[in-house]
Amino acid sequence: MPSGRRWRVRLTALLVTLPSAVAMPLITAQPAAAATGSTVCSRSPDGVFRWDGGTSWTQISGPGTADQIYGGGAGLLRAAPDGSGVYRYQGSGQNWQRIGTTGPGSQWVVTDSAVFGRSPDGVYRWNGGTSWTQISGPGTADQIYGGGAGLLRAAPDGSGVYRYQGSGQNWQRIGTTGPGSQWVVTDSAVFGRSPDGVYRWNGGTSWTQISGPGTADQIYGGGAGLLRAAPDGSGVYRYQGSGQNWQRIGTTGPGSQWVVTDSAVFGRSPDGVYRWNGGTSWTQISGPGTADQIAPCAAVNTAVGWTTYSADSDHGKAALEICAGSQAVCTMTYSPRSYRTSPGEEHLVGDRVFNYTSQTENHALTWSDTVESSDTLEVSASAKATIWGVAEVGVNTTYSHTWGRSSTVSETESLPVPGCSVGWLARAAELGTASGDIHLHFAKGTHLDGHRDFMITNAVFTAPTGSGSIVARSRPMTASESTSCS
């Protein structure tokens, strides 16, 4: 870490000092309404408001401070109408941090664990503070779309839609674009809409149609599912997860907007804001004319005295390191905000089998596959081991999932190999990804730089669930391989 103001940790009979960046000031949360999961925020000329339950809303930004809001698991943003910049909510009161500039063509996306921006200069990922990293060059995107399953950009030249690969400026083309194209990224899937219908991405450039031509003029998605608004005004429909099966859940009309959070569906119309109860039942949570826009936003989960850092900040890393090494006086808990499963990369398991006969042969192949975990933490191996133990408990408690740092599966499968071919088994392990906050509490009589309670936000863990899919693959032998083939 860079030199500068030094952190002091007061422990029983022990004094530890650790250098820390001067440019990362403390952010102390003030008392706020407690909530869990995800909620909805609204924007109107009167300001920005967060729904707290019932018909109760808390004002979190004053009149005329936002012309757009953007929300997701990694927080809530507002773009200032005076062009002064884009601001990220700090979780309490009306406290916001300026994180970047705005201008013509600016657009922002908040996913489960990151913030992205688009402008004529390219696509950028937020690093913290006012620092951004360019991940796509000028003129490469006229829209971006994001969610738990990743980030997409639609190329303005019509060459296609691309999915970010997570590093550098690496993108994978996954489909075509055209007039009327729209994309939605949920916690675990990617969907596209065009005049031809609604489609679900299978991987590569393969898509499956899940709704017919002319059935949607808009689609909306999130952890609680996928919606389509029918262009004939017949209503809004929720996808049932298979085939082309949809359930009508409500009506549509002028000004209708829908938001899907991790666990709920909200609708906005001139009559007010509503929360879906199931079936076609809705509860009004805000009156007529109270919202010009709604967006998903993380519910507040803070208390008096919590000092908040991001897991990727210097202070966040240092706090995690110190607490993990001081378990006698510091307790650590993990509160996941979201959990999703997705298939990992397909890879070879077991040996390749060569069939030198002219007939298909079945081969009993025994294989073993070990899949390791990953995370977004930059701490020592010993600290990481402690933190992972806490994350496993948090995920198991919240979602009743058994979850660990690695998984080994061993089985024997029948592998059919065509004549004069090479066969193998490929496996895609199921991965569970949790995103949430790590809470640190130093015991009475000890403190870290004068503070005892910390919330380390945006901690993301990915681990194998033990499940997965196995598929038999084969290819014809090459000329050099087939010399012994009969």
Side-chain angles (χ1 to χ4, degrees), residues 102-331:
T102 56
S106 295
Q107 178 202 355
W108 313 91
V109 159
V110 184
T111 68
D112 283 355
S113 57
V115 175
F116 300 90
R118 177 195 62 83
S119 76
D121 296 329
V123 181
Y124 294 80
R125 177 175 180 143
W126 181 55
N127 303 318
T130 55
S131 171
W132 296 78
T133 296
Q134 188 170 25
I135 60 173
S136 188
T140 55
D142 59 5
Q143 286 289 321
I144 54 175
Y145 309 84
L151 177 74
L152 308 183
R153 64 172 174 86
D157 61 4
S159 62
V161 64
Y162 295 78
R163 183 171 180 263
Y164 185 49
Q165 299 301 286
S167 63
Q169 296 194 22
N170 300 313
W171 297 77
Q172 172 198 11
R173 183 179 178 277
I174 65 170
T176 58
T177 56
S181 295
Q182 179 203 354
W183 313 90
V184 158
V185 184
T186 68
D187 278 2
S188 57
V190 174
F191 299 91
R193 176 195 61 83
S194 75
D196 296 330
V198 181
Y199 295 80
R200 177 176 180 141
W201 181 55
N202 302 318
T205 55
S206 171
W207 296 78
T208 295
Q209 188 169 24
I210 60 173
S211 188
T215 54
D217 58 5
Q218 287 289 320
I219 54 176
Y220 308 84
L226 176 74
L227 309 183
R228 64 172 174 86
D232 60 5
S234 62
V236 64
Y237 296 77
R238 183 171 180 264
Y239 185 48
Q240 299 301 286
S242 63
Q244 297 194 22
N245 300 312
W246 296 77
Q247 172 198 12
R248 184 178 178 276
I249 65 171
T251 59
T252 57
S256 296
Q257 179 201 353
W258 312 91
V259 158
V260 184
T261 70
D262 284 350
S263 56
V265 175
F266 297 89
R268 179 193 62 83
S269 75
D271 296 329
V273 179
Y274 295 79
R275 186 179 192 272
W276 181 53
N277 302 318
T280 56
S281 171
W282 295 78
T283 297
Q284 188 168 19
I285 60 175
S286 183
T290 54
D292 294 337
Q293 180 197 359
I294 56 176
C297 56
V300 173
N301 190 16
T302 60
V304 178
W306 286 108
T307 300
T308 304
Y309 302 125
S310 176
D312 59 2
S313 70
D314 286 347
H315 279 20
K317 298 171 192 174
L320 290 171
E321 193 78 45
I322 292 168
C323 184
S326 310
Q327 290 292 284
V329 295
C330 183
T331 58

Side-chain angles (χ1 to χ4, degrees), residues 321-356:
E321 193 78 45
I322 292 168
C323 184
S326 310
Q327 290 292 284
V329 295
C330 183
T331 58
M332 184 183 298
T333 57
Y334 182 60
S335 299
R337 293 192 309 266
S338 65
Y339 179 86
R340 61 182 176 86
T341 58
S342 59
E345 291 187 5
E346 187 177 286
H347 55 279
L348 172 74
V349 291
D351 297 322
R352 296 182 187 274
V353 176
F354 291 75
N355 180 9
Y356 292 102

